[in-house]
Amino acid sequence: MNDDEFINVGNKLCSSLTIVLKNEGILGGPHSAIFDYDFNGNVLHIGIEQCIVRTINISVDSPMTMSNLWGFYTVIERLLMLLDGRFYIIESATFTGDACSETDYYSYAQECQSRRLSYCKTDPAYCHSDHVFLMYDTVISPELLSKWIQLQDELDIVHQVALYNIADTGITHDVKCANLIECLEPMVEIIGLYDSFFQSLKPGEKTTTLKMCIDAVISKYGQDIFAEEYNANKGNFLQTLVDTRVRIMHIKRNQPTEKHLSGAESILYLVKLCHLYRVVLLSLLGIDYARYQTAVVKSVGRWNSWNGVLTNFINTIK
């Protein structure tokens, strides 16, 4: 299906979309969330059921285009990723309705899956252990969804950059980690906009360095995640993150002579920085950190003991 055909078929009407998601194992359950949401004047009936697999059904009383319904599904999917820590695999996608043939519905669903953005395939390294912070049925609501749509709009391309850097895109982990470190500068801006913290920091101006931004975000939101590093040598740890980022701004002879993250260290800090990023966004969405602090600490503890990487790293920064 070429682009014109994809657009034309996507403009046809449907009454519901059902997505079945799975992972490499069995999803827990049972969990269930059912609610209605007003989306551009259309009332959407949303049901998310999980037991072995996760099934998301979105139906409408007044038919809407398949492209709009699929687009709304991707909004929900990105919100659920903040809770789950990964994207799940689409096992099947089904449109239903009376406006066109089953063939059109089927072919459009298949095309949507084939055109799914590559950041929806989470890096296997990030799936090394369970990264679920919260079960969706304990927090998801129309109010949370509205907050997420607004926050995602404010973040703009920053959120895509973050997602691509924990995706299985073939990019090496050191490059991903460097890019994710850079995302902490705009995070200072969005935190200031929502929670009025860090008012003295002005990312992009000479008075505000990347190191200052990293320290501010970690000190406010990531003390549980980076406790070992801060206790060992906060200054050297922050400088290592900065020098890791600076590597992609200069040729080798002009790079800092200080330490930067190795390959294995890049995997570890890719995970930890993504944990930090998720904690920040969940906090901006109004979800109390105390509700999932235990899950964060447990996950970080597992990664801190992964293959002795942290122990070796700590020895280099002391």
Side-chain angles (χ1 to χ4, degrees), residues 111-126:
E111 193 70 17
C112 285
Q113 292 179 74
S114 70
R115 291 173 179 249
R116 201 171 183 223
L117 294 174
S118 58
Y119 66 58
C120 294
K121 185 180 181 182
T122 306
D123 190 327
Y126 197 69

Side-chain angles (χ1 to χ4, degrees), residues 10 38 44 51 53 81 98 125 143 168 189 196:
D38 189 329
L44 306 183
C51 188
V53 296
M81 185 273 164
D98 299 322
E143 293 74 23
D168 187 13
E189 295 179 326
S196 299

Side-chain angles (χ1 to χ4, degrees), residues 224-256:
D224 288 330
I225 302 171
F226 298 98
E228 296 278 352
E229 295 86 349
Y230 266 44
N231 289 335
N233 193 317
K234 171 182 170 180
N236 284 349
F237 170 62
L238 292 174
Q239 190 60 49
T240 299
L241 294 185
V242 171
D243 291 344
T244 297
R245 173 63 184 93
V246 169
R247 282 186 73 202
I248 62 173
M249 299 171 65
H250 300 286
I251 62 173
K252 188 170 184 177
R253 70 172 58 188
N254 294 331
Q255 290 171 9

Side-chain angles (χ1 to χ4, degrees), residues 36-46 59-62 64:
D36 291 343
Y37 187 77
D38 189 329
F39 179 62
N40 296 333
N42 287 321
V43 177
L44 306 183
H45 309 295
I46 302 164
S59 62
V60 289
D61 295 328
S62 299
M64 61 188 297

Side-chain angles (χ1 to χ4, degrees), residues 168-207:
D168 187 13
T169 57
I171 297 174
T172 57
H173 291 107
D174 55 348
V175 175
K176 291 180 181 180
C177 200
N179 286 331
L180 199 52
I181 291 167
E182 178 66 21
C183 287
L184 294 181
E185 281 195 337
M187 293 315 294
V188 166
E189 295 179 326
I190 196 75
I191 292 166
L193 178 65
Y194 272 68
D195 286 343
S196 299
F197 298 129
F198 317 142
Q199 293 303 301
S200 63
L201 297 180
K202 308 293 181 184
E205 297 185 8
K206 291 183 179 180
T207 55

